Amino acid sequence: MPSLNLGNQQPRTPLNADQAWRTTAGRAAGTVLFFDFDGTLAPVDDDPTAVRPAPAALAAIEALAPVVQRVAIVSARPVEFLRDHLGGLAGVDLYGLYGLEHSHSGGETVTEPAALPWVPTMKELADLARAELPPGALVEYKRLSVALHWRTAPQLGPSVQQWGQAQADRLGLRVQAGRMVLELKPPVDRDKGMVIGEVIRDASGAWYFGDDVSDIKAFAALRARAAADPGFFGVCVAVANPETGHEVANAADLTIESPAALGDFLTQALTHLP
């Protein structure tokens, strides 16, 4: 097992992953497991609509859900997409579009009220992007956000980012950078860090698994809770990637090689939990 440092800003004695799971076992009923989707549960694909989660990761999550307090997927994807791609996972909470949408344990999807007036703006923006961006740029419309991808045409990165930033400035939108993607979203105060901070208020521990720069805010939420409550046990896990992985790994306690390896890691964790 790889080693990890569970320090909260200040270095502490490194523990290995087995030790961390054994510590979690003693508080499993109060522990929340958070997972990003793209690049964490599912490998990144040139076509963002074609991604599929790693089967071993889904199987392990299904086994872990009854053991811990909560399991939550926190993603830039809409809740509907997550529900369709997670194979009917039971007892899992879904937070889509960085928390602008959520669904608890298969219930109805609830949208942040402050974001709803922006739906027409985002639709118009998606249409404009398709008309103005050069061939090779992929426009992903998500109702409450628009993602501009250049994975299949890396040379377009600077021009796509410039176009996206100009539109954000014009419309008063917020920008979220990612792995060869720029996402434009409403100016509403919701992000992964805020979601995690709210969910863990009554938890005694949490693990967050993510691969991209937006996940660093989630790591920060765990650090902040641990700094305020020495009894809280938080672990930040990066899933390696070739684009933003160095920055994410530097912010994490532990790095796992891939979504497939995450499935193996979680399956091993089951041997330590009650």
Side-chain angles (χ1 to χ4, degrees):
M1 276 287 187
S3 64
L4 66 160
N5 188 304
L6 300 173
N8 306 299
Q9 307 302 332
Q10 298 299 320
R12 296 170 61 184
T13 303
L15 302 176
N16 66 34
D18 284 339
Q19 290 173 315
W21 282 118
R22 282 195 289 270
T23 301
T24 296
R27 60 184 76 203
T31 293
V32 183
L33 303 179
F34 296 98
F35 300 89
D36 175 39
F37 183 80
D38 288 280
T40 300
L41 293 180
V44 171
D45 193 280
D46 288 347
D47 179 357
T49 66
V51 299
R52 293 292 182 271
L58 289 190
I61 288 174
E62 190 168 26
L64 285 164
V67 176
V68 297
Q69 183 185 86
R70 294 176 74 179
V71 173
I73 313 300
V74 188
S75 172
R77 298 284 196 168
V79 164
E80 182 179 3
F81 176 95
L82 296 173
R83 187 180 286 124
D84 289 346
H85 285 70
L86 289 172
L89 276 180
V92 175
D93 296 338
L94 306 177
Y95 292 88
L97 302 175
Y98 304 96
L100 292 178
E101 297 179 339
H102 67 267
S103 171
H104 295 301
S105 297
E108 68 174 300
T109 300
V110 178
T111 301
E112 186 72 23
L116 285 173
W118 291 89
V119 171
T121 299
M122 304 314 296
K123 178 63 170 65
E124 292 170 6
L125 176 63
D127 291 341
L128 184 65
R130 293 188 183 105
E132 294 190 355
L133 288 177
L138 188 151
V139 179
E140 183 185 8
Y141 171 60
K142 305 181 186 179
R143 189 174 74 100
L144 287 172
S145 72
V146 175
L148 310 175
H149 300 265
W150 59 88
R151 177 170 296 278
T152 59
Q155 73 279 5
L156 297 180
S159 60
V160 172
Q161 292 176 79
Q162 184 178 20
W163 187 94
Q165 186 62 61
Q167 297 304 316
D169 294 342
R170 178 177 69 86
L171 296 169
L173 302 174
R174 293 184 181 173
V175 169
Q176 175 67 57
R179 296 175 62 178
M180 304 186 81
V181 61
L182 191 73
E183 188 149 11
L184 288 80
K185 53 187 183 176
V188 178
D189 285 332
R190 295 298 290 166
D191 60 36
K192 291 184 177 183
M194 295 178 69
V195 170
I196 275 62
E198 292 167 2
V199 174
I200 62 176
R201 285 174 181 166
D202 63 346
S204 59
W207 291 61
Y208 186 95
F209 298 82
D211 76 304
D212 209 346
V213 290
S214 63
D215 298 308
I216 294 175
K217 290 184 178 180
F219 292 172
L222 293 191
R223 307 285 192 211
R225 174 63 197 280
D229 177 6
F232 179 83
F233 186 74
V235 184
C236 303
V237 184
V239 178
N241 77 69
E243 288 100 16
T244 59
H246 182 71
E247 184 176 358
V248 181
N250 283 345
D253 302 311
L254 168 66
T255 298
I256 295 174
E257 293 179 0
S258 66
L262 172 61
D264 296 338
F265 180 80
L266 295 175
T267 299
Q268 179 66 27
L270 285 165
T271 66
H272 297 297
L273 299 180

